[in-house]
Amino acid sequence: MFASVTRRLSGARRTLTRATVLPFLVRCGIGVCGLIAMSVAWPAQLSGTRYFAPLAVIALYPAFAPRGRGATFAALVVVGGWLADTAFYDSPVALWRVLAIASSLYLGHSLTALAAVLPYDAVVNADVVGLWLARALAVVLVSAVLTVFALGFTAELAGGPFLVATVIGLAGAAGATLLIARLVHRA
């Protein structure tokens, strides 16, 4: 058992000595996004207490092991915390919280995908990571603008027209699903 622990420690030391800057910064970004999402989603009373420590470990885990299911589990814990905060602690559903959680989860997920294919000791051009981040930030910006626009639009259409638009949208989604299923089975 002692030999196994020694072997793992020497492997971790070798990994840290061979790590390059950009893959390390990508993994730091994963950790920061996870911590932001976790701290915004869970009740504010937990921040700074010993009960937040396991949540912080869950949020940081995808930065250390981006190829596993840790990112999915961390995202589910974030969503569970937001549901617990809004359902049990009666916190209001604020737009800034929803946008912050969604943005940090998306950026963390995107960076986790990059880190999964980027070895820790790879020599990477800064343009690769920069373009990846620019594309992810553009998606976050467009999503936030569309969310605000859609919320404002639904406030204007509350009532009969909104119900009709919802039914037409659901019928269109069902029709598209049936068409795709038929095309897949035909091939």
Side-chain angles (χ1 to χ4, degrees), residues 10-27 63-64 66-67 114-124:
S10 67
R13 188 174 347 122
R14 185 178 61 246
T15 300
L16 285 175
T17 58
R18 292 188 61 186
T20 56
V21 175
L22 284 177
F24 180 73
L25 289 177
V26 167
R27 290 172 188 246
F64 292 103
R67 290 188 182 143
L114 178 61
V117 297
L118 190 65
Y120 62 89
D121 58 350
V123 177
V124 181

Side-chain angles (χ1 to χ4, degrees), residues 76-157:
L76 289 174
V77 170
V78 167
V79 171
W82 183 75
L83 289 174
D85 190 31
T86 55
F88 298 122
Y89 289 93
D90 294 328
S91 294
V93 178
L95 181 62
W96 73 269
R97 283 184 70 199
V98 173
L99 290 177
I101 292 169
S103 299
S104 58
L105 280 178
Y106 179 75
L107 287 175
H109 183 269
S110 181
L111 288 174
T112 302
L114 178 61
V117 297
L118 190 65
Y120 62 89
D121 58 350
V123 177
V124 181
N125 193 354
D127 292 345
V128 172
V129 178
L131 288 174
W132 187 284
L133 272 177
R135 189 172 34 243
L137 289 172
V139 168
V140 166
L141 179 66
V142 168
S143 298
V145 168
L146 288 177
T147 300
V148 171
F149 177 72
L151 287 176
F153 192 61
T154 58
E156 294 289 327
L157 291 179

